[in-house]
Amino acid sequence: MRHTCRGTINLATANISVEDSCNFVISNGGAQTYHLKASSEVERQRWITALELAKARAVKMQAESDDSGDEDSTSQTDKAEVHNTLRALSGKVEDLGTCNDLIAKHGTALQRSLSELESLRLPQDSSEKIKQVNERATLFRITSNAMINACRDFMSLAESHSRRWQRALQYERDQRLRLEETLEQLAKQHNHLERAFRGATVLPAETRAGGPKDPCGAGKGDLSDEDDENEFFDAPEIISSPSQDGLGHKRSGSNISAASCDILEEQVRPPSEDARKERRTRIPYKPNYSLNLWSVMKNCIGKELSKIPMPVNFNEPLSMLQRLTEDMEYYTLLDRGAQCESALEQLCLVAAFTVSSYSTTVFRASKPFNPLLGETFELDRMEDCGYRSLCEQVSHHPPAAAHHAESRNGWSLRQEIKITSKFRGKYLSIMPLGTIHCVFHNSGNHYTWKKVTTTVHNIIVGKLWIDQSGEIEIVNHKTGDKCKLKFAPYSYFSRDVARKVTGEVMDASGHVYYTLMGTWDERMECSPASLPGSGYENGADKAPESKILLWRRNPLPKNAEYMYYFSELALTLNAPEEGVAPTDSRLRPDQRLMENGNWDEANVEKQRLEEKQRIARRRREAEREKVGEDDSPVDSYKPLWFDRKMDTVSKEVTYVYRGTYWEAKEKQEWSACPDIF
């Protein structure tokens, strides 16, 4: 209750006041005030009463919270207080019994004395007075007897209820002790399972998958330990993938040509394709440093993640620019798309590429480094894979990165991503803003889409896990074709497959030609929505043999769990490389120190770089004031490799690649690069 979100009022210290018959005010005595209006005076009074009762409970809860340091001492105090109360009640009941006996005794003596007075010979007036007193004494005796009976009933009722309350209190105390013991056992079991998992050996693919019948079994052999650890939200394999021979034979009568089958079907890459240039396959193992997460996060609730100073303990040794480049891991989907003659089949592959960009996040719960303003990252795989990519951090607040990739196989990809994130206490929401463009040069097909929301759960307690949720609409601006993808959020009570993705590919008129199904962490398949003459038409149940495997995730490298769960591509991204720009992420010193395991030195270096960036920003603000532009909300910084332009397709102002980086690299002309490291 002491660490509330912004915009809330602590009821324990709130002031509740009435303005008129329908309006009332709740204030914390500071900047937070709510003016509330009810529809009637009766409703207003109901709210006032409810809020006052809640305030009383809040005060009591706060007092109990203040005294809740030692649970054992608190339990003993509560127990002693209950016994004292019961003892006091018993004493009062005994007092009532004593009063009862005294009233009966004195009442009888008074009645006897009056009777004796009445028997004496007294004057006429005196006897009349004595008779009146006798009548009143009789009334007193009757009233006293009634009170005595009421007290006796109260005593019996109090004793019976006291025993009942005592039994209920004892039951609740026993329940609480059992719950505490259960939680302690669960915590011990959790720690034991974690230790057992860390020491477990990786099972071979056949053992884990139950035999070679699963086409993805060999690819997932190294993931047995991760699947066991994440069993509570792992996706069961329910999508069957027939053999390639079966696909070719069964689909011969459908509306998919044999040539398009070969293009749509996921091909196994020859092992020598990426072996032309030897690249690193491992990085230093992640050290096991402990850190009190709550001590860092308790003051960050409600804030934007990019504005929270984080130690490198929460990071992975890659920058956000490198994570953005990881979208290119399954570039072969776009290579196959460039060979498609059908725009609808091409759209299926673009959709699979869109989903594939999330597969690297399934185990990657660590935060990438926030890039410095002007930081760049290049990935030149033109010789090996036929493409090259460039990213630049074009804005710091809000953080925004521009990305451009081009391939000699006939496609280009560009995007500007702004990351908006909020820490909500139990989970972290990451909302990427910006549009992704993919253009196929031969056909002129221009596709656009946006990313879905990423949620990191169990920020404070439990094991971190990541979920993707939302909808993506991929639009072909040349033909009007669309693909609508739905990422189903995880639900503990749902019987559906976890991390499920479904979609439909339709033409400009809305007629569905393909349905897509799969999971964002494993694979995507498509099947034709209409098979003329086969009995499966217009949304009927699809023939199992008509499913086409579009994409499946590459297996993780051996011992990936000790290397931040990096994929083969991610392991190579931060490898030192000659000839890159001086602003390249590979040259960032705090990131390099963290990768090498020197986390304390990395934290010091990270603070130095961030302070250097602040000094540069203040210098730009001072220069802007000199020229009289101090009222402008826009930072005067201009990116080096990207220009801000109006996009004719999306009608958005975005950063577009200028086209001079690779020429500058060839000449090694980096004089225009800022000094950021």
Side-chain angles (χ1 to χ4, degrees), residues 468-489:
Q468 315 287 348
S469 59
E471 296 183 358
I472 295 178
E473 184 178 71
I474 308 172
V475 180
N476 184 342
H477 292 273
K478 179 183 178 183
T479 63
D481 301 338
K482 292 182 181 179
C483 174
K484 294 183 178 180
L485 293 172
K486 182 178 181 180
F487 289 66

Side-chain angles (χ1 to χ4, degrees), residues 189-202 222-231 363 463 560-562 565:
Q189 290 175 7
H190 179 74
N191 291 333
H192 174 72
L193 288 173
E194 277 195 341
R195 287 195 300 270
F197 163 70
R198 290 186 185 124
T201 56
V202 178
D222 292 336
L223 294 177
S224 60
D225 48 352
E226 292 111 30
D227 289 341
D228 291 342
E229 182 179 11
N230 294 279
E231 60 181 2
F363 302 118
K463 181 165 182 62
E561 65 272 19
Y562 304 114
Y565 288 101

Side-chain angles (χ1 to χ4, degrees), residues 260-285:
S260 65
C261 289
D262 296 335
I263 296 173
L264 281 176
E265 184 72 51
E266 196 235 8
Q267 303 294 321
V268 179
R269 260 190 325 187
S272 61
E273 182 176 348
D274 284 342
R276 298 176 190 174
K277 186 173 181 179
E278 187 176 350
R279 306 190 189 279
R280 71 177 185 179
T281 57
R282 64 180 304 276
I283 60 174
Y285 285 175

Side-chain angles (χ1 to χ4, degrees), residues 99-112 114 132-149:
C99 291
N100 176 23
D101 295 339
L102 289 173
I103 288 174
K105 179 181 177 182
H106 293 309
T108 304
L110 177 62
Q111 191 73 32
R112 192 184 307 117
L114 289 172
Q132 290 179 4
V133 172
N134 194 13
E135 289 175 355
R136 290 175 183 172
T138 303
L139 289 174
F140 168 75
R141 181 172 58 81
I142 294 170
T143 306
S144 299
N145 287 335
M147 190 195 76
I148 290 168
N149 292 332

Side-chain angles (χ1 to χ4, degrees), residues 430-442:
I430 303 170
M431 293 80 71
L433 307 176
T435 304
I436 305 171
H437 299 255
C438 181
V439 180
F440 292 95
H441 302 153
N442 291 336

Side-chain angles (χ1 to χ4, degrees), residues 540-559:
D541 293 338
K542 280 74 182 175
E545 60 271 14
S546 68
K547 291 182 180 178
I548 308 169
L549 179 64
L550 297 172
W551 160 80
R552 61 183 167 191
R553 187 185 64 179
N554 294 329
L556 287 177
K558 186 178 180 181
N559 297 323

